[in-house]
Amino acid sequence: MKVVKFGGSSLGDAKRIKIAAEIIRSDKTSRFVVLSAMQGVTNQLIEAALLASKGELLYKTIFESLKQLHLDTINQLVTNNESFTLKILIPMFEELEEILHGIELLQDCTPRTKDLVMSFGERLSCQIVSFYLSSIYDSVEYIDSRDIIKTDENFSSAAVLFEESNTLIVNRLANLSRTYIITGFIGSTLKGITTTFGRNGSDYTASIIGSALSVDSVEIWTDVDGVLSADPRIVPNAYVIPELSMEEASEMAYFGAKVIHPYTLHPLIEKKIPCWIKNTFNPSFSGSVIKDNCINHEPGTITAIASIDNVSSLNIIGSGLIGLPGMTSKIFLVFAKLGINIIMITQASSEHSLCVLCRTEDAHRAREQMETDLKESFQSHYLREIEIRDNLEIVAVIGDKMKGTPGISGRLFSALGNNKINIQAIAQGSSERNISFVIDSSDKKLAINAVHETFLRPKDIP
Ligand code: ASP
Ligand code: MG
């Protein structure tokens, strides 16, 4: 048994939907099908809600074009669709129109309302695809995942209540002769209020369902050939990694390699369910598999390079950091209070300064808040200054095989040194699976190519 998930790009129009349907049909083991909204639809729904909340009537134009897109798609897929369109699609659009009108009247769109608006994308695409599939073969059932995935009330990035959800999933998807078409991205609270898992959350839905049903594999069908050794826009000879471990893939997801939603692997790790990344535009290509036991890499090589841009560093300098317990905790508290995610931290053992890296948009407000909250430490000269550097890039070199292999950092930093790249901070987690370093954004291309050339030359291509 298998869960297959198709993203928006695989559902761009009627033609693409037919290709996806063929992939589903030709593989008898893929009985649980999770779908995203049609391409671009979520963005348009958000845009419509935003405009409505500002009282801008342009939202109506977006609404009309969304309606047209879905009606055109069903017309192109199934000729005989009147009753489906009247009974299912039109009432959904009427409801959406009313909600948008409500937002316009209130001039307010809370995260809760926004989640409800966004949920229409997946509900519409799944209704359309299940109707189409049932016109070409038997036993297809539409599943609104709000009925089977329960979450907390953290709208727009809800946490799954696994115990409740797993029972519902197992009970609801129990008919082994059916093909279930399941809405990605959405769930509901115990009271039944619609929630979402955050943008691109449909991957996560696929793994939640796969794990609950203990399937043999999960397949994520997207528009790239698999997980790449580096961003191909930066490294022209980046290649598809045939196999990588769950940990490596999680590291990469964290570093913004946009292949899968970062939470996707969590439900799969415990049950050791492999996750394939496949390309609907190139279905015969094997893709990448992310799995538990992955021993194919050359010893001593790394697996991939990933990076995060638009990062700033805050260098917090002062004697108060030397041997004085508690200062770092006061500093981190400020970040926590502002809800700012710290991406990386370094402190040399001289303890004279602490370097905290976060998104550029967060850095300046973090400094202001620290200057207020830690005023006393500044007045008593325990803290001297907080220096901000913008336009930085965190680059991460990732690979399970780095663990216990001497010489990797030597090769890494020589490669950077030979290219005269200045490194501003370095961190290696004790998992030894990731070495991260901070450089000026302007050095990004040179640095990533130098590292790729050193460790992932074409001769190393597995
Ligand atoms: N439709 C949602 C989004 O665009 C979820 C997904 O595509 O996975 O974010
Ligand atoms: Mg999407």
Side-chain angles (χ1 to χ4, degrees):
M1 278 195 318
K2 202 190 262 182
V3 174
V4 292
K5 178 258 165 178
F6 292 88
S9 55
S10 307
L11 306 168
D13 52 30
K15 211 167 114 208
R16 298 239 48 95
I17 291 178
K18 284 186 181 169
I19 296 173
E22 205 34 56
I23 294 172
I24 298 166
R25 190 154 74 143
S26 61
D27 182 349
K28 288 280 168 266
T29 57
S30 52
R31 301 209 5 276
F32 307 99
V33 181
V34 173
L35 302 181
S36 292
M38 288 180 74
Q39 190 163 33
V41 166
T42 310
N43 285 343
Q44 280 181 279
L45 287 165
I46 295 172
E47 181 67 13
L50 190 77
L51 288 169
S53 73
K54 292 193 228 153
E56 289 181 28
L57 297 183
L58 188 63
Y59 83 84
K60 296 190 180 193
T61 315
I62 298 179
F63 169 80
E64 287 305 330
S65 81
L66 279 172
K67 186 171 167 185
Q68 205 52 52
L69 169 76
H70 290 91
L71 295 180
D72 286 348
T73 305
I74 193 65
N75 284 333
Q76 285 158 22
L77 288 170
V78 189
T79 347
N80 198 352
N81 65 58
E82 292 79 13
S83 124
F84 166 78
T85 301
L86 275 176
K87 275 203 207 115
I88 308 281
L89 296 188
I90 298 295
M92 285 181 78
F93 280 106
E94 283 168 359
E95 191 192 334
L96 176 60
E97 195 171 16
E98 277 177 31
I99 296 168
L100 289 171
H101 184 54
I103 297 174
E104 181 204 333
L105 293 178
L106 293 168
Q107 304 239 330
D108 184 34
C109 182
T110 60
R112 169 173 162 167
T113 308
K114 190 172 155 196
D115 276 1
L116 177 62
V117 170
M118 288 193 288
S119 77
F120 279 84
E122 272 66 16
R123 285 151 61 203
L124 286 162
S125 68
C126 285
Q127 287 283 14
I128 288 175
V129 173
S130 41
F131 182 66
Y132 167 59
L133 279 178
S134 54
S135 77
I136 53 176
Y137 67 92
D138 297 337
S139 244
V140 177
E141 189 174 342
Y142 165 81
I143 302 283
D144 184 329
S145 50
R146 294 177 299 176
D147 298 337
I148 54 174
I149 301 181
K150 291 290 153 190
T151 73
D152 67 5
E153 299 191 351
N154 198 358
F155 297 101
S156 86
S157 59
V160 176
L161 306 174
F162 280 97
E163 240 182 80
E164 290 82 350
S165 307
N166 287 348
T167 314
L168 290 165
I169 293 168
V170 171
N171 292 339
R172 184 73 180 78
L173 308 180
N175 186 338
L176 293 182
S177 59
R178 311 217 113 179
T179 299
Y180 294 103
I181 309 293
I182 307 158
T183 57
F185 180 52
I186 62 176
S188 73
T189 66
L190 292 172
K191 289 185 198 140
I193 314 291
T194 305
T195 51
T196 67
F197 305 132
R199 295 305 307 274
N200 304 314
S202 298
D203 297 344
Y204 189 38
T205 306
S207 71
I208 295 165
I209 302 222
S211 160
L213 298 169
S214 298
V215 294
D216 303 307
S217 67
V218 169
E219 282 179 5
I220 308 284
W221 287 82
T222 174
D223 54 2
V224 290
D225 273 339
V227 184
L228 292 168
S229 57
D231 184 339
R233 287 166 304 181
I234 301 170
V235 181
N237 58 355
Y239 55 82
V240 174
I241 308 164
E243 285 192 14
L244 62 166
S245 73
M246 301 259 180
E247 290 77 10
E248 289 170 331
S250 306
E251 294 271 359
M252 291 184 68
Y254 178 78
F255 278 92
K258 290 194 184 56
V259 189
I260 41 172
H261 185 280
Y263 301 159
T264 309
L265 296 170
H266 298 181
L268 304 179
I269 288 175
E270 198 187 320
K271 296 202 170 164
K272 301 187 178 9
I273 299 172
C275 176
W276 289 85
I277 312 292
K278 305 264 295 175
N279 188 354
T280 14
F281 296 80
N282 187 13
S284 59
F285 187 77
S286 55
S288 295
V289 61
I290 303 166
K291 60 181 197 176
D292 177 57
N293 230 333
C294 189
I295 43 173
N296 278 358
H297 310 311
E298 294 280 314
T301 60
I302 64 164
T303 302
I305 308 165
S307 65
I308 305 181
D309 45 29
N310 294 322
V311 170
S312 293
S313 69
L314 290 114
N315 288 313
I316 304 147
I317 304 163
S319 58
L321 288 159
I322 309 174
L324 196 72
M327 186 57 88
T328 23
S329 94
K330 285 184 197 158
I331 292 168
F332 292 149
L333 215 57
V334 173
F335 286 85
K337 179 169 149 189
L338 296 178
I340 296 176
N341 181 34
I342 296 176
I343 308 176
M344 179 174 150
I345 306 162
T346 62
Q347 184 182 38
S349 53
S350 71
E351 300 180 31
H352 182 62
S353 70
L354 177 74
C355 172
V356 180
L357 288 119
C358 63
R359 297 250 166 232
T360 298
E361 70 218 40
D362 295 330
H364 294 263
R365 62 189 181 106
R367 173 162 71 182
E368 270 166 39
Q369 193 71 40
M370 266 189 272
E371 283 167 353
T372 314
D373 290 7
L374 306 176
K375 204 167 170 183
E376 276 174 29
S377 305
F378 279 103
Q379 278 164 353
S380 53
H381 302 287
Y382 276 134
L383 288 182
R384 203 178 71 211
E385 65 168 313
I386 303 172
E387 178 191 280
I388 295 190
R389 283 193 206 159
D390 290 328
N391 301 319
L392 300 181
E393 181 87 17
I394 303 181
V395 180
V397 171
I398 295 161
D400 284 350
K401 284 285 173 213
M402 296 199 297
K403 191 176 170 72
T405 310
I408 303 251
S409 359
R411 280 169 72 196
L412 173 63
F413 294 116
S414 316
L416 295 169
N418 292 341
N419 283 282
K420 307 217 167 6
I421 292 161
N422 181 39
I423 299 164
Q424 311 206 6
I426 303 171
Q428 179 188 281
S430 55
S431 73
E432 296 185 43
R433 189 173 285 129
N434 171 338
I435 302 174
S436 303
F437 55 90
V438 179
I439 54 173
D440 227 80
S441 313
S442 56
D443 288 334
K444 168 179 173 178
K445 199 169 175 146
L446 184 61
I448 296 181
N449 274 290
V451 178
H452 200 273
E453 179 64 22
T454 304
F455 292 99
L456 301 164
R457 272 174 311 218
K459 82 163 180 50
D460 289 332
I461 295 179

